[in-house]
Amino acid sequence: MRVPLIWLWRLLLCGFAVAYLSNGSLQLWIPPLVPFLAAAAVEAQFFLSGVRSSERGEVDRGPQPRDLAELGWVDGAEDEASPPPLQHSRHLRARLVQVAVVLALLSGLFFLDRSRPSWQKLPANERASTLAILDRNAARIAGHPAKVMCDTSGRRVGYVQDADGLAEVGGARMWLTPGICYRLAKVRHLTPTTELATGHAISVFAHEAWHLRGEAREALANCFAYQSGVQVGRELGLSAGTARRLMRQQLADNPADYADAPAYVVPSGCHRGGTFDLKLDGTHFP
């Protein structure tokens, strides 16, 4: 069965809309109004072409021969058994409903994307101040100058790489997903529903900072991150008690969170007074 070209265009637009909403790079380079206008143009062309064809009398509103054959109508029975032709007004209403439904769905996606908070939508000064704090803390943990980058292109971290962060072991560069960067920027606006995400973002950052320091083992990078994360949280605006509570939760959840990745599970000596206690100060360890 031949698929009409207009429906192929609709499928392509739908696929593009899904890709656009899930890809930070596309959102960065293409304004959300562009796919919306493209969809609107396709629907307008679909509607107007049908109206023009109807006005010129080019449309047979009765069942088409190929449709009758597909549905099992025998030859010669069309005149006796075929349904009566559709009325022009009914045909027009059907097209209007189709156009309205598609545009309503795409409009909903457009406004949902516009309202969704993200790192890219933060004011430039807020992004700059957050990166300054992160650079300073990354350098403090690494023991040398460090640069933190929010990978909006998705080339280093993200869904494809299945990683929230990446760092050069012993190097100076760290990459974080825009989602982690956004959560770190909004640490001061902590709510009960964002505690786990915020704790995870802090631990991801501190984990990568320990890779910058030269620690290549994932389990130890996690153990040290939960300890250093207390100070990172305080630098980002949390109280000492809140930062410690978030890191305590990350440490407690570690075995379950990494059940499928045992290389990231903290070793048995990762506790206060244990083999891997950094002894940073009296209140640092979760």
Side-chain angles (χ1 to χ4, degrees), residues 83-280:
L86 295 175
Q87 298 298 319
H88 176 72
S89 59
R90 185 178 175 187
H91 182 72
L92 186 61
R93 283 198 301 272
R95 282 187 175 273
L96 282 172
V97 169
Q98 291 175 0
V99 171
V101 168
V102 173
L103 289 180
L105 290 174
L106 290 171
S107 298
L109 290 173
F110 170 71
F111 288 110
L112 178 64
D113 178 69
R114 292 281 292 178
S115 62
R116 186 180 62 180
S118 68
W119 170 255
Q120 295 95 317
K121 294 175 185 175
L122 292 177
N125 62 328
E126 186 173 0
R127 295 198 303 268
S129 62
T130 299
L131 288 174
I133 295 173
L134 297 180
D135 285 348
R136 184 169 65 247
N137 278 269
R140 175 176 57 81
I141 295 173
H144 56 73
K147 181 69 175 176
V148 179
M149 289 162 281
C150 297
D151 186 17
T152 55
S153 69
R155 294 191 183 96
R156 301 277 184 169
V157 290
Y159 292 113
V160 175
Q161 294 80 10
D162 192 26
D164 289 327
L166 175 70
E168 299 169 332
V169 177
R173 295 183 297 174
M174 175 200 305
W175 294 268
L176 302 173
T177 64
I180 293 294
C181 289
Y182 176 81
R183 187 49 53 200
L184 292 172
K186 294 299 182 181
V187 162
R188 289 186 178 86
H189 304 284
L190 187 69
T191 66
T193 59
T194 61
E195 282 196 357
L196 283 178
T198 300
H200 174 69
I202 292 173
S203 63
V204 166
F205 167 78
H207 176 104
E208 301 305 333
W210 274 96
H211 281 327
L212 293 181
R213 189 180 181 94
E215 179 54 66
R217 292 165 291 184
E218 304 293 356
L220 284 182
N222 267 342
C223 177
F224 298 153
Y226 302 144
Q227 300 175 60
S228 300
V230 176
Q231 182 60 32
V232 172
R234 294 182 65 182
E235 291 282 337
L236 289 168
L238 296 177
S239 67
T242 299
R244 194 160 50 251
R245 175 165 52 82
L246 295 185
M247 292 301 99
R248 186 185 303 122
Q249 186 65 52
Q250 290 296 307
L251 177 60
D253 291 345
N254 173 270
D257 289 343
Y258 295 103
D260 296 330
Y264 289 81
V265 176
V266 296
S268 58
C270 187
H271 58 80
R272 185 182 294 276
T275 306
F276 302 110
D277 186 344
L278 294 174
K279 299 180 174 61
L280 299 176

